[in-house]
Amino acid sequence: MQSNAPPTNTTSIPTAEAENPPPVAGEAVRVARWSRNPNGLIMAALKVGTLAIVNNCLVMSNKDAPPTLLIFPYRNGVWDDAKRTFTYEGKVIGIGSPIKVGGGRIQNFDYLKANGKYDVPDCGITDFWVAP
């Protein structure tokens, strides 16, 4: 678990079985979160892909590439488990639909630690994208 929040139980789903497996019954989809330091640097790259769920985590997928765990600010984005949609920047995005996210790639959680609070579930994913 990469977090400074209390630990939670995780459930793994083999990603090779299906391109976009449904969440494990009774387990809510987890959205990675962080709080940006208002005086910190802002990353301004753009990442485009498809909204997906891997190991009960909201991710971005791209053909022929491993999934990317999207890390959203606490104030930004709302997951609707019943409808399996994510509302981000005023748009309702369904699983399997395109999503564009500004921000930047991080290699580890030092950037998040420097900014304060964060909650990144252990989804078995090693590619991380921080949204502003």
Side-chain angles (χ1 to χ4, degrees):
M1 172 84 30
Q2 300 90 9
S3 176
N4 59 357
T8 59
N9 292 334
T10 60
T11 303
S12 294
I13 299 172
T15 57
E17 287 184 16
E19 183 176 317
N20 195 18
V24 173
E27 294 286 332
V29 171
R30 298 168 293 169
V31 178
R33 298 293 187 173
W34 76 297
S35 59
R36 188 178 74 79
N37 178 343
N39 299 321
L41 297 173
I42 297 174
M43 293 187 244
L46 181 64
K47 186 158 182 70
V48 179
T50 302
L51 194 64
I53 298 169
V54 173
N55 297 332
N56 279 17
C57 293
L58 193 67
V59 302
M60 177 184 287
S61 67
N62 282 296
K63 190 173 184 169
D64 301 325
T68 300
L69 183 64
L70 302 171
I71 307 170
F72 294 97
Y74 281 100
R75 71 184 189 289
N76 212 349
V78 176
W79 171 252
D80 184 327
D81 224 28
K83 295 180 182 176
R84 292 176 44 95
T85 59
F86 187 66
T87 303
Y88 179 64
E89 296 186 342
K91 297 175 186 164
V92 178
I93 305 162
I95 297 302
S97 297
I99 184 171
K100 295 179 184 178
V101 181
R105 176 170 280 115
I106 59 172
Q107 298 296 318
N108 55 49
F109 299 109
D110 292 344
Y111 181 81
L112 300 177
K113 290 175 186 174
N115 279 282
K117 186 177 176 184
Y118 65 96
D119 183 12
V120 178
D122 183 0
C123 306
I125 295 175
T126 58
D127 188 33
F128 308 108
W129 186 268
V130 177

